[in-house]
Amino acid sequence: MTYVLVTRPLEASQQLADQLDVLGFFPIVMPLYTFSAREPLPEVTSAWSAEPLRQLAIFTSPRAVQYGLEHIPDEQVDRLEFAAVGSATRSSLESRGVAVKLQAESGYSSEDLLQLPELSVEPGVAVIFCAPGGRETLATGLADMGWSVIKAMVYERIPLQPEAKQVDAIMAAGDLLSIWTSISALSLARKSLPEAVWTKILSTPALVISGRIQHHLQQLGARRVEVAEGPGNTELVQSILRLTGH
């Protein structure tokens, strides 16, 4: 039986684990962080008064929508251009009645969004809704195009310590595949797991959702890292089936 280490936040991990369980896999649910709201810096509010500059509100994840949309005054919504990183983020915005103007035709990364030709025309003020330490590539890319960039850090990750039963399950797994959807999770795992467990993870196959995470994990010493077909649980399941020969 293939054991699958799932490191997404708890709700997404449990949903993926339920799907894998039905397919005959043995999921090990080990979320490495949860989330908490935080107040953005005052310049986020003042950004919306920058007339007549073009004003762009960029949401980088459904989590950013959950914690960030409330910080945009209702009277400003119709004046802003909304951009979404990935289809899940777009769906989250649209479910709240927000029209998305900018999204990459394909892909779900910061690099994909930066390829949009509309971003290089008449740059103004861009506010990126994200967590601390995230989306540096996006911020740098926009700044290089001439945008005045403000990072609205509206939520933060709260680390979770792996439990003994999770550690024991990893060590006992004869056939292990790990899932990684963020560099933050990798960093936390490296710091908090016993050395023998971390070494085992690096020596077994891993599935990631972007080339950036793939490169980071390879730099840490991982031997086999594959990029999934997409960031959602559906795409992860399909990629797991492909990797395991199902």
Side-chain angles (χ1 to χ4, degrees), residues 43-58 79-83 102 119 121-129 142-143 146-151:
E43 55 259 37
V44 173
T45 302
S46 63
W48 308 131
S49 61
E51 293 186 81
L53 293 176
R54 186 179 174 193
Q55 298 175 15
L56 186 62
I58 304 176
R79 297 172 49 202
L80 304 179
E81 293 179 60
F82 284 83
L102 299 173
L119 291 176
V121 180
E122 297 182 2
V125 177
V127 178
I128 304 173
F129 291 86
L142 289 169
W147 289 88
S148 176
V149 180
I150 298 171
K151 293 179 70 176

Side-chain angles (χ1 to χ4, degrees), residues 193-200:
L193 289 172
E195 183 176 354
V197 176
W198 180 242
T199 298
K200 179 172 183 175

